Amino acid sequence: MSFKPASWPRKLRSQEWFGGTGRDQIYHRGWMKNQGFPHDMFDGRPVIGVLNTWSELTPCNAHLRDLAERVKNGVYEAGGFPVEVPVFSAAESSFRPTAMMFRNLAAMAVEEAMRGQPMDGAVLLVGCDKTTPSLLMGAASTDLPSIVVTGGPMLNGYFRGERVGSGTHLWKFSEAVKAGEMSADDFLEAEASMSRSPGSCNTMGTASTMASMAEALGMALSGNAAIPAVDSRRRMMAQLSGRRIVEMVKDDLKPSDILTKPAFENAIRTNGAIGGSTNAVIHLLAIAGRVGVDLTLDDWDRCGRDIATIVNLMPSGAYLMEEFFYAGGLPVVLKHLCEAGLLYKDALTVSGAPIWDEVREAVNHNPDVILPVDRALTQQGGIAVLKGNLAPNGAVIKPSAASPHLLKHRGRAVVFDDIDHYKARIGDDALDVDETCVLVLKNCGPRGYPGMAEVGNMGLPPKVLKKGVTDMVRISDARMSGTAYGTVILHTSPEAATGGPLAVVRDGDMIEIDVEARRLHLDISEAELAARLAEWSPPPDQPESGYAWLHQTYVQGADTGADLDFLRGCRGAPVGRDSH
Ligand code: FES
């Protein structure tokens, strides 16, 4: 791919606000000068929005104000004018009903913050799960030059000498308490060991996955994803990115130049190699939808098939992001994939160079963390897309997080109509369930929950856990935390709340899964399935106003990225009429 720089200097869009001696320009500059900015900041240099998802209620991003200062230093050094702008921060750990319901709202807010204000490019300061895709989606829809800087992962957690992975050990400890193998007091003591520094989840959960996806897509500088939040090199990365965005504006290097179909295919293959989160499926589909790239679930299955998972990180493996960084980080993985002929080496990155140029010198410093292919965690990494009468539009499973003996299974359905039904029934010793059953959870999709909560890895019944069983087949239209594990089939589409076949599964039905054959089958006749679907009616209690109504009315299925239908597409960044 060749990239031709635009002629420079040229008039930038920010000059519509700040350039000239008219009343409107004096108005815009005058207000800005109340912050003490000297006049030459408005002389036609690139104005860079430092879009900051800092929030004390997004603890994973709570250190981003410090990083923003480093970004600004870099922007100034390169001759730009940085302006820090707070944007919607969809916190994974505390937003209810689920942060995912607000990803699209955040993306919409970011898009309009970029389009409606005087900026020529943006640094996307992100970290926590939904913050990365939401800002990428918004930036993609404006197509203004943009670069991702993530906040970086937390340092390793340790409890009594053992590594504690964000999320992963929360699930493990919680199940151990239910099984009577861990005391409630020990669980409380472990809490303090889980998050011992600033930063995002330290496992290969969704935050680390999306940081890796941003880098694999070419939207972040090489090496960005794995640098720990508190490492001095994280600050350097922020400063270098600040310098780089100014050059990107001068070169008019836009998201649409970088976010091409080959870039998405590179990211999908990378996701297989790192054992990345199933959430990446939904987010990449949504980002692709913003730039008009025709990416589908079938692309996920095709590109991810037979990619060896070589990054030995929890939840699939043993280590954490800190060790991934010391081992060389994502550039080592990208170099391996390039050398194996699995990536488009000439895919453009924010540096202006192709991805191969960025990673060709990478060195693996720890082959226990970044494994050779013959010692891979699995040769069939990636995300498998299952189809059948239970999921005509597809469902996904992460085989590397599943139990091999359950990847082909036939079992009796134990059905929960929604999350409240599940919570009410799962602990009941009278529940007719054993480890051969298939747990089915309905009405937790994009519309049903609403927002598609991460409840797909529903905990096992205590009576099964007490037998020492740690995994069962679970099927739902929900998502799963990237830090979770198990034989968990997710994103079943169409979802139950829109009348997908999941809605009509009943207790006692037999369900067959065959991951190798990519099959998910409800073993009832076509006539029976049709009769049940004809009887189906939508669940009650739909919201009648507010954002929840907007979300439920316009959200699309998980199989296309769960974006709001009117937000798909690139609308560019035309400068609107001045209001004064
Ligand atoms: Fe924020 Fe995991 S909860 S990164």
Side-chain angles (χ1 to χ4, degrees), residues 238-276:
Q239 189 154 338
L240 293 172
S241 300
R243 290 181 192 169
R244 179 59 200 155
I245 188 64
V246 176
E247 301 308 315
M248 288 173 68
V249 170
K250 291 178 179 175
D251 292 348
D252 200 24
L253 178 53
K254 303 183 296 298
S256 60
D257 297 315
I258 297 168
L259 295 172
T260 58
K261 181 86 182 244
F264 282 101
E265 294 195 4
N266 282 353
I268 291 170
R269 292 189 169 102
T270 303
N271 190 64
I274 63 176

Short mmCIF file of all heavy atoms in Angstrom, two decimals, residues 238-276:
data_model
loop_
_atom_site.label_atom_id
_atom_site.label_comp_id
_atom_site.label_asym_id
_atom_site.label_seq_id
_atom_site.Cartn_x
_atom_site.Cartn_y
_atom_site.Cartn_z
N ALA A 238 2.91 7.82 25.45
CA ALA A 238 1.92 8.88 25.35
C ALA A 238 2.54 10.11 24.69
O ALA A 238 1.94 10.73 23.80
CB ALA A 238 1.39 9.24 26.74
N GLN A 239 3.75 10.44 25.08
CA GLN A 239 4.40 11.63 24.51
C GLN A 239 4.71 11.43 23.03
O GLN A 239 4.48 12.32 22.20
CB GLN A 239 5.69 11.92 25.29
CG GLN A 239 6.32 13.25 24.93
CD GLN A 239 7.16 13.81 26.06
OE1 GLN A 239 6.96 13.44 27.21
NE2 GLN A 239 8.07 14.70 25.74
N LEU A 240 5.22 10.25 22.69
CA LEU A 240 5.52 9.97 21.29
C LEU A 240 4.25 9.99 20.43
O LEU A 240 4.26 10.45 19.28
CB LEU A 240 6.22 8.61 21.16
CG LEU A 240 7.62 8.54 21.78
CD1 LEU A 240 8.13 7.10 21.78
CD2 LEU A 240 8.59 9.45 21.03
N SER A 241 3.15 9.51 21.01
CA SER A 241 1.88 9.51 20.26
C SER A 241 1.40 10.94 20.06
O SER A 241 0.82 11.27 19.02
CB SER A 241 0.83 8.68 21.01
OG SER A 241 1.27 7.35 21.16
N GLY A 242 1.64 11.79 21.06
CA GLY A 242 1.30 13.20 20.90
C GLY A 242 2.07 13.84 19.77
O GLY A 242 1.53 14.61 18.97
N ARG A 243 3.35 13.50 19.69
CA ARG A 243 4.15 14.02 18.56
C ARG A 243 3.60 13.50 17.23
O ARG A 243 3.46 14.23 16.26
CB ARG A 243 5.60 13.57 18.69
CG ARG A 243 6.36 14.23 19.81
CD ARG A 243 7.79 13.70 19.78
NE ARG A 243 8.51 14.06 21.00
CZ ARG A 243 9.70 13.56 21.34
NH1 ARG A 243 10.30 12.68 20.56
NH2 ARG A 243 10.28 13.94 22.46
N ARG A 244 3.29 12.22 17.23
CA ARG A 244 2.92 11.58 15.96
C ARG A 244 1.59 12.09 15.41
O ARG A 244 1.44 12.25 14.21
CB ARG A 244 2.86 10.05 16.17
CG ARG A 244 2.47 9.27 14.94
CD ARG A 244 3.43 9.50 13.78
NE ARG A 244 2.78 9.12 12.52
CZ ARG A 244 3.09 9.61 11.33
NH1 ARG A 244 4.08 10.48 11.20
NH2 ARG A 244 2.44 9.21 10.25
N ILE A 245 0.63 12.38 16.28
CA ILE A 245 -0.68 12.79 15.74
C ILE A 245 -0.56 14.10 14.98
O ILE A 245 -1.28 14.33 14.00
CB ILE A 245 -1.75 12.88 16.87
CG1 ILE A 245 -3.14 13.12 16.28
CG2 ILE A 245 -1.45 13.95 17.87
CD1 ILE A 245 -3.68 12.04 15.40
N VAL A 246 0.36 14.95 15.38
CA VAL A 246 0.53 16.22 14.66
C VAL A 246 0.98 15.93 13.23
O VAL A 246 0.48 16.52 12.26
CB VAL A 246 1.54 17.13 15.40
CG1 VAL A 246 1.79 18.40 14.60
CG2 VAL A 246 1.02 17.46 16.79
N GLU A 247 1.92 15.01 13.11
CA GLU A 247 2.38 14.64 11.76
C GLU A 247 1.26 13.97 10.97
O GLU A 247 1.14 14.15 9.76
CB GLU A 247 3.60 13.71 11.85
CG GLU A 247 4.78 14.30 12.58
CD GLU A 247 5.18 15.68 12.04
OE1 GLU A 247 5.23 15.83 10.81
OE2 GLU A 247 5.41 16.59 12.86
N MET A 248 0.45 13.18 11.65
CA MET A 248 -0.67 12.52 10.94
C MET A 248 -1.64 13.56 10.38
O MET A 248 -2.17 13.39 9.28
CB MET A 248 -1.43 11.57 11.89
CG MET A 248 -0.66 10.30 12.24
SD MET A 248 -1.51 9.33 13.50
CE MET A 248 -2.97 8.80 12.60
N VAL A 249 -1.87 14.61 11.13
CA VAL A 249 -2.76 15.66 10.62
C VAL A 249 -2.12 16.32 9.40
O VAL A 249 -2.79 16.55 8.39
CB VAL A 249 -3.07 16.70 11.72
CG1 VAL A 249 -3.77 17.91 11.13
CG2 VAL A 249 -3.93 16.07 12.81
N LYS A 250 -0.84 16.59 9.50
CA LYS A 250 -0.16 17.22 8.36
C LYS A 250 -0.22 16.32 7.13
O LYS A 250 -0.35 16.79 6.01
CB LYS A 250 1.29 17.54 8.73
CG LYS A 250 1.41 18.66 9.77
CD LYS A 250 2.87 18.91 10.13
CE LYS A 250 2.96 20.06 11.14
NZ LYS A 250 4.36 20.26 11.62
N ASP A 251 -0.10 14.99 7.37
CA ASP A 251 -0.14 14.03 6.26
C ASP A 251 -1.57 13.65 5.86
O ASP A 251 -1.75 12.89 4.92
CB ASP A 251 0.60 12.75 6.66
CG ASP A 251 2.09 12.96 6.81
OD1 ASP A 251 2.58 14.02 6.38
OD2 ASP A 251 2.77 12.06 7.35
N ASP A 252 -2.55 14.13 6.63
CA ASP A 252 -3.95 13.76 6.42
C ASP A 252 -4.12 12.24 6.41
O ASP A 252 -4.80 11.67 5.56
CB ASP A 252 -4.49 14.37 5.12
CG ASP A 252 -6.02 14.42 5.11
OD1 ASP A 252 -6.62 14.42 6.21
OD2 ASP A 252 -6.61 14.42 4.01
N LEU A 253 -3.49 11.60 7.38
CA LEU A 253 -3.57 10.14 7.52
C LEU A 253 -4.76 9.80 8.40
O LEU A 253 -4.75 10.00 9.62
CB LEU A 253 -2.26 9.63 8.14
CG LEU A 253 -2.15 8.13 8.42
CD1 LEU A 253 -2.46 7.30 7.19
CD2 LEU A 253 -0.74 7.80 8.93
N LYS A 254 -5.81 9.28 7.78
CA LYS A 254 -7.11 9.14 8.43
C LYS A 254 -7.38 7.68 8.82
O LYS A 254 -6.78 6.75 8.25
CB LYS A 254 -8.21 9.62 7.48
CG LYS A 254 -8.03 11.06 7.00
CD LYS A 254 -9.19 11.51 6.13
CE LYS A 254 -9.29 10.73 4.82
NZ LYS A 254 -8.13 10.86 3.93
N PRO A 255 -8.36 7.47 9.73
CA PRO A 255 -8.74 6.09 10.06
C PRO A 255 -9.10 5.26 8.83
O PRO A 255 -8.74 4.07 8.77
CB PRO A 255 -9.95 6.29 10.99
CG PRO A 255 -9.69 7.59 11.67
CD PRO A 255 -9.03 8.46 10.61
N SER A 256 -9.75 5.85 7.85
CA SER A 256 -10.16 5.07 6.69
C SER A 256 -8.96 4.61 5.85
O SER A 256 -9.08 3.68 5.06
CB SER A 256 -11.15 5.86 5.82
OG SER A 256 -10.53 7.05 5.37
N ASP A 257 -7.80 5.29 6.02
CA ASP A 257 -6.59 4.83 5.33
C ASP A 257 -6.02 3.59 6.01
O ASP A 257 -5.28 2.82 5.40
CB ASP A 257 -5.51 5.93 5.35
CG ASP A 257 -5.95 7.18 4.61
OD1 ASP A 257 -6.49 7.03 3.50
OD2 ASP A 257 -5.77 8.30 5.15
N ILE A 258 -6.33 3.44 7.29
CA ILE A 258 -5.72 2.38 8.09
C ILE A 258 -6.69 1.21 8.31
O ILE A 258 -6.30 0.05 8.22
CB ILE A 258 -5.29 2.97 9.46
CG1 ILE A 258 -4.20 4.03 9.22
CG2 ILE A 258 -4.80 1.88 10.41
CD1 ILE A 258 -3.90 4.89 10.43
N LEU A 259 -7.95 1.55 8.56
CA LEU A 259 -8.94 0.52 8.91
C LEU A 259 -9.53 -0.12 7.64
O LEU A 259 -10.70 0.07 7.30
CB LEU A 259 -10.04 1.12 9.78
CG LEU A 259 -9.58 1.61 11.16
CD1 LEU A 259 -10.71 2.37 11.87
CD2 LEU A 259 -9.10 0.44 12.01
N THR A 260 -8.69 -0.87 6.96
CA THR A 260 -9.10 -1.55 5.73
C THR A 260 -9.46 -3.00 6.06
O THR A 260 -9.19 -3.49 7.15
CB THR A 260 -7.95 -1.54 4.72
OG1 THR A 260 -6.83 -2.18 5.35
CG2 THR A 260 -7.57 -0.09 4.36
N LYS A 261 -10.03 -3.69 5.09
CA LYS A 261 -10.36 -5.11 5.33
C LYS A 261 -9.11 -5.91 5.71
O LYS A 261 -9.17 -6.70 6.67
CB LYS A 261 -11.04 -5.69 4.08
CG LYS A 261 -11.46 -7.16 4.21
CD LYS A 261 -12.82 -7.30 4.83
CE LYS A 261 -13.23 -8.75 5.01
NZ LYS A 261 -14.38 -9.16 4.24
N PRO A 262 -7.96 -5.73 5.02
CA PRO A 262 -6.77 -6.48 5.47
C PRO A 262 -6.40 -6.17 6.91
O PRO A 262 -5.95 -7.06 7.65
CB PRO A 262 -5.68 -6.02 4.50
CG PRO A 262 -6.43 -5.65 3.26
CD PRO A 262 -7.72 -5.04 3.74
N ALA A 263 -6.57 -4.92 7.34
CA ALA A 263 -6.24 -4.58 8.73
C ALA A 263 -7.15 -5.36 9.69
O ALA A 263 -6.69 -5.87 10.73
CB ALA A 263 -6.40 -3.08 8.96
N PHE A 264 -8.43 -5.46 9.36
CA PHE A 264 -9.34 -6.22 10.24
C PHE A 264 -8.97 -7.70 10.23
O PHE A 264 -9.03 -8.37 11.27
CB PHE A 264 -10.79 -6.00 9.80
CG PHE A 264 -11.35 -4.68 10.26
CD1 PHE A 264 -11.45 -3.61 9.39
CD2 PHE A 264 -11.77 -4.49 11.57
CE1 PHE A 264 -11.94 -2.37 9.81
CE2 PHE A 264 -12.27 -3.27 12.00
CZ PHE A 264 -12.36 -2.20 11.12
N GLU A 265 -8.61 -8.22 9.07
CA GLU A 265 -8.22 -9.64 9.04
C GLU A 265 -6.95 -9.86 9.86
O GLU A 265 -6.81 -10.88 10.55
CB GLU A 265 -8.06 -10.11 7.59
CG GLU A 265 -9.39 -10.09 6.83
CD GLU A 265 -9.35 -10.86 5.53
OE1 GLU A 265 -8.32 -11.49 5.22
OE2 GLU A 265 -10.37 -10.84 4.81
N ASN A 266 -6.03 -8.91 9.78
CA ASN A 266 -4.83 -9.01 10.64
C ASN A 266 -5.23 -9.06 12.11
O ASN A 266 -4.69 -9.84 12.90
CB ASN A 266 -3.93 -7.79 10.42
CG ASN A 266 -3.11 -7.88 9.15
OD1 ASN A 266 -3.10 -8.90 8.48
ND2 ASN A 266 -2.42 -6.81 8.82
N ALA A 267 -6.17 -8.21 12.48
CA ALA A 267 -6.57 -8.15 13.89
C ALA A 267 -7.25 -9.46 14.31
O ALA A 267 -7.01 -9.96 15.42
CB ALA A 267 -7.51 -6.97 14.11
N ILE A 268 -8.07 -10.02 13.45
CA ILE A 268 -8.76 -11.28 13.81
C ILE A 268 -7.73 -12.39 14.03
O ILE A 268 -7.81 -13.17 15.00
CB ILE A 268 -9.75 -11.68 12.69
CG1 ILE A 268 -10.93 -10.69 12.65
CG2 ILE A 268 -10.26 -13.10 12.91
CD1 ILE A 268 -11.84 -10.85 11.45
N ARG A 269 -6.74 -12.46 13.16
CA ARG A 269 -5.71 -13.51 13.31
C ARG A 269 -4.89 -13.26 14.59
O ARG A 269 -4.52 -14.19 15.30
CB ARG A 269 -4.83 -13.57 12.07
CG ARG A 269 -5.60 -14.07 10.85
CD ARG A 269 -4.70 -14.35 9.65
NE ARG A 269 -5.46 -15.05 8.63
CZ ARG A 269 -5.97 -14.48 7.53
NH1 ARG A 269 -5.78 -13.19 7.33
NH2 ARG A 269 -6.66 -15.19 6.67
N THR A 270 -4.64 -11.99 14.85
CA THR A 270 -3.91 -11.65 16.07
C THR A 270 -4.71 -12.07 17.30
O THR A 270 -4.15 -12.57 18.29
CB THR A 270 -3.62 -10.14 16.11
OG1 THR A 270 -2.89 -9.79 14.93
CG2 THR A 270 -2.82 -9.75 17.34
N ASN A 271 -6.01 -11.87 17.24
CA ASN A 271 -6.86 -12.25 18.36
C ASN A 271 -6.73 -13.76 18.65
O ASN A 271 -6.71 -14.18 19.81
CB ASN A 271 -8.32 -11.89 18.07
CG ASN A 271 -9.19 -12.05 19.31
OD1 ASN A 271 -9.01 -11.36 20.29
ND2 ASN A 271 -10.11 -12.99 19.26
N GLY A 272 -6.64 -14.55 17.60
CA GLY A 272 -6.44 -15.99 17.80
C GLY A 272 -5.11 -16.28 18.47
O GLY A 272 -5.01 -17.11 19.37
N ALA A 273 -4.07 -15.57 18.04
CA ALA A 273 -2.72 -15.84 18.58
C ALA A 273 -2.58 -15.41 20.03
O ALA A 273 -1.80 -16.00 20.77
CB ALA A 273 -1.68 -15.13 17.72
N ILE A 274 -3.32 -14.38 20.43
CA ILE A 274 -3.19 -13.92 21.82
C ILE A 274 -4.22 -14.59 22.73
O ILE A 274 -4.19 -14.37 23.93
CB ILE A 274 -3.34 -12.38 21.93
CG1 ILE A 274 -4.74 -11.90 21.50
CG2 ILE A 274 -2.25 -11.67 21.15
CD1 ILE A 274 -4.97 -10.41 21.69
N GLY A 275 -5.15 -15.38 22.17
CA GLY A 275 -6.22 -15.95 23.00
C GLY A 275 -7.15 -14.85 23.48
O GLY A 275 -7.56 -14.82 24.64
N GLY A 276 -7.49 -13.94 22.58
CA GLY A 276 -8.23 -12.73 22.95
C GLY A 276 -9.70 -12.99 23.25
O GLY A 276 -10.25 -14.07 23.02
#
